[in-house]
Each structure stands twice: as C-alpha cells, then as structure tokens.
Amino acid sequence: MNSEQNAQQSEQKQFEISMDAYGQRLDQVLAVLLPEFSRSRLQQWIKQGQILLNGETCKPKTRVTGGESLLVTIEQEQQGEWLAEKIPLDIIFEDNSILVINKPIGLVVHPAAGNRSGTLLNALLYHCPQLINVPRAGIVHRLDKDTSGLLVVAKTLQAQTHLVKQLQNRAFEREYEAIVQGEMIGGGSVNEAIGRHPVHRVKMAVMKNPGSGKKMGKEAITHYRIKERYRGYTALQVKLETGRTHQIRVHLAYLNFPVVGDQVYAGRLKLPRDCSDSFKQFLNHFKRQALHARRLGLAHPDTEEWLEWEVDVPEDMQTLKQLLNDYTQAH
C-alpha cells in the first residue's frame, strides 16, 4: 500500500451552539451535532485538541452557555498495519457507504494470531484501500471461519457508527439456515446467556448465572423454526436477536441438536442407520458446521431505507440436503 493510501484524511466543520443548550456538557452537545460519531470518539477528539470552543481547547465536561462557536477537525487515522491482498470477493451490493459480501467457507474474517493474512479484512483493503482509515476496516459483525453467507462492511466511519448502533439496538435482520442432528418436533427460542467455557477456553458455553445474581455470561437470544424434516436430521431457519460468539452453534448444541459437521460442539460423528456408502463417505468428509447466513436486512446508514439481501446455501450444503432427502425417502 503506498503512502498516499496511508495518508491521514481530515476535514473541518464549524457549528454555533444553540442557546437552548445552556448548561449542557460539551460532549453532550457534540453527540447531538455529530450523531454519526460515537461519544467515546468525540471525547477523544476533545482531549486531543481537535475540537475548539471559541478558538480554545476544552474538556468534555465543559459546560456551554449557548452561542459559542465550535471548530471540529475530523481526522481519519490509519487503524492498523494490515496488508492488502488480492483475494476474490463475492460482492452482493456496494455503494459509497456499505459493502455486502457473500463470505465463502474457510475465509477468516479478521486477522489474529496464526491468521495475519488471507483474511476478509486483507481482501477488503485491496478492494477498497480507504478502509484502512476505518476501525477493523469497516467490519461491524463477523461470521465464523467455516460459516458461509452475508455480512455487511461499512466503508466510512459515519456508516460504521450507524451500523454498530443498529446492531446494539437489535435492528439488524439476520437469518441463517442450519442443518442439525436429530428430529425436532417444533420451533422455539433459546434465551440462555453465553460466555467463555470455564475449562476449554477456545469454546463458548451456556452460562447458568448463580443465585447470588453474579453475571456469568452475556445475554443471548436465538429464535428457530423448522424448515424441513429429514430422517434423523432437521433443517432450521434461525434468527439472531443478539450476536454472541458461536451463538447459534452453542444454543443448538445446548438443545441437544448440534449443527451437522460442527467440529467443536457436535461431539463424535453419529452416522445414520442404513444409509448408503456414498452418504457415509460424504458425512465423514463434511468437516465444517452446516450453517449459512442466508438473509440480511438493515437500514441504509445514509438514507434509512430498509434493504434486504438473500443468498442460497453453498454447494456442499445443497448436496447434504439432497442426500438427506434421498435417505429420508428411501426409508
């Protein structure tokens, strides 16, 4: 990435504080004037001297009287030392503010220890170099490495702030398709807190809060309904109300209907009775969770227009569904 792409970008905005704001804290006034930026970011800019009140530096707690002038320097700084990589992206939608991706199986979303390259973030920086100025290159929600499907990326700081607020307010529509072991008899919801497994730290687990009221995990709510029944298996439509790490996989395993192919939560592979050799071979080699983010809905950060996208399950899940259908019909 060249120096021009890494350069900081800044702009200045001027405001006059309304007389109605008399007695309010400066950071509160700024939150109204600049709602596209988080409160913590505005406070950081005040402390760094990027916000001048009547030409003077100030503090977040400074009380205003109304009529003052504000000069705000909005500076977008490079957010990391990640490398851009030419990795193909299946782009479903793109405009100046957002990018919707159909993530393939096996693609890690964000660099981490052991995955510094070859991630979705590296691919995004190649496709859209200005994302270096947006935290996490605009990624506002994630999918596990072996979960396929739709996710949205913010191309500007303002869009990211807006989308994060939607996520926090549970305004996103996120619908998944999952194939689970076992025959479910009806849909339902799981409202069980999720936290880090107390022993196996790479796993998450349902956390039962003790009677003392001490919080062990974070609130997690998953809704599911039956999409199709097979012999020994069920295809589900799953909707997330919250977005905890591994939430769908953990909640379905908690119900004793683990996602097919889940190498972490499904336990030992149980092959169906009387199935064909080709079906057994397929299941033995299906080494990823049969989980796909099928539909995504959100309000556009610029226009508030409600937008929705939908993509069908990838080829491996289509094959699995066909084999399950053949197996069910044969018995």
Side-chain angles (χ1 to χ4, degrees):
M1 191 175 295
N2 60 41
S3 59
E4 182 180 352
Q5 291 171 333
N6 277 337
Q8 293 181 345
Q9 301 176 1
S10 64
E11 62 172 316
Q12 289 189 327
K13 290 188 176 183
Q14 281 192 307
F15 303 94
E16 181 176 316
I17 298 177
S18 169
M19 301 301 293
D20 295 336
Y22 178 84
Q24 294 183 19
R25 287 172 41 145
L26 177 61
D27 56 356
Q28 295 173 328
V29 173
L30 284 166
V32 175
L33 293 173
L34 295 165
E36 66 268 32
F37 299 107
S38 66
R39 183 74 65 89
S40 61
R41 183 172 294 277
L42 293 171
Q43 290 175 342
Q44 181 184 15
W45 287 347
I46 295 172
K47 294 172 183 176
Q48 292 175 345
Q50 293 174 230
I51 296 177
L52 302 179
L53 183 67
N54 285 337
E56 302 288 339
T57 56
C58 45
K59 296 181 179 179
K61 296 181 180 179
T62 299
R63 300 285 176 174
V64 303
T65 58
E68 298 99 326
S69 65
L70 273 177
L71 179 63
V72 182
T73 301
I74 299 171
E75 195 168 80
Q76 296 180 349
E77 300 178 354
Q78 181 174 326
Q79 297 293 319
E81 298 180 354
W82 307 300
L83 297 175
E85 292 183 81
K86 190 176 182 180
I87 300 170
L89 291 172
D90 184 2
I91 297 172
I92 303 301
F93 175 86
E94 182 176 16
D95 63 11
N96 292 330
S97 297
I98 62 173
L99 184 65
V100 177
I101 305 291
N102 181 19
K103 188 190 84 67
I105 307 156
L107 182 64
V108 174
V109 170
H110 196 280
N115 289 297
R116 301 304 301 174
S117 62
T119 71
L120 175 63
L121 186 146
N122 302 111
L124 289 170
L125 290 178
Y126 184 90
H127 174 75
C128 189
Q130 66 266 32
L131 285 174
I132 195 68
N133 297 312
V134 184
R136 299 176 299 282
I139 296 168
V140 295
H141 65 123
R142 303 187 187 187
L143 296 176
D144 297 334
K145 175 184 176 182
D146 290 324
T147 298
S148 55
L150 294 168
L151 58 80
V152 63
V153 175
K155 294 176 70 175
T156 67
L157 189 57
Q158 294 90 334
Q160 187 184 50
T161 301
H162 191 288
L163 292 174
V164 168
K165 285 180 179 178
Q166 285 190 60
L167 269 177
Q168 292 172 341
N169 293 332
R170 304 181 182 181
F172 269 31
E173 288 281 348
R174 289 176 290 172
E175 181 185 302
Y176 292 71
E177 184 168 340
I179 301 172
V180 300
Q181 298 176 23
E183 297 179 17
M184 278 194 174
I185 59 173
S189 299
V190 186
N191 185 349
E192 296 287 350
I194 289 177
R196 186 68 58 182
H197 195 288
V199 178
H200 306 289
R201 304 303 290 172
V202 297
K203 298 174 64 174
M204 308 300 288
V206 164
M207 308 298 286
K208 292 293 187 181
N209 294 329
S212 63
K214 183 180 178 182
K215 208 171 182 182
M216 301 287 289
K218 294 181 179 179
E219 182 186 27
I221 303 173
T222 305
H223 308 287
Y224 61 93
R225 70 176 182 85
I226 293 174
K227 189 177 179 71
E228 194 162 359
R229 290 185 176 90
Y230 305 102
R231 186 176 189 232
Y233 297 83
T234 311
L236 300 177
Q237 175 185 302
V238 184
K239 288 188 176 182
L240 286 179
E241 188 169 324
T242 56
R244 307 303 175 200
T245 301
H246 300 175
Q247 178 174 319
I248 293 174
R249 299 162 61 192
V250 171
H251 272 171
L252 292 176
Y254 171 76
L255 295 176
N256 293 318
F257 292 96
V259 178
V260 172
D262 194 327
Q263 302 298 297
V264 178
Y265 300 104
R268 186 177 177 181
L269 176 64
K270 297 177 183 177
L271 294 172
R273 295 167 296 169
D274 307 324
C275 69
S276 65
D277 290 339
S278 60
F279 190 17
K280 287 181 181 178
Q281 185 176 12
F282 181 86
L283 287 175
N284 275 315
H285 289 87
F286 197 91
K287 299 296 186 183
R288 70 101 171 182
Q289 59 269 10
L291 184 61
H292 173 72
R294 186 183 191 105
R295 192 174 68 86
L296 175 67
L298 53 85
H300 193 281
D302 295 339
T303 65
E304 298 289 344
E305 178 188 3
W306 184 258
L307 301 174
E308 292 184 5
W309 302 272
E310 186 170 346
V311 290
D312 200 5
V313 298
E315 186 177 350
D316 65 340
M317 280 184 68
Q318 291 184 27
T319 301
L320 175 59
K321 290 167 70 175
Q322 184 59 55
L323 288 168
L324 285 171
N325 189 59
D326 293 344
Y327 170 64
T328 302
Q329 290 187 358
H331 294 81

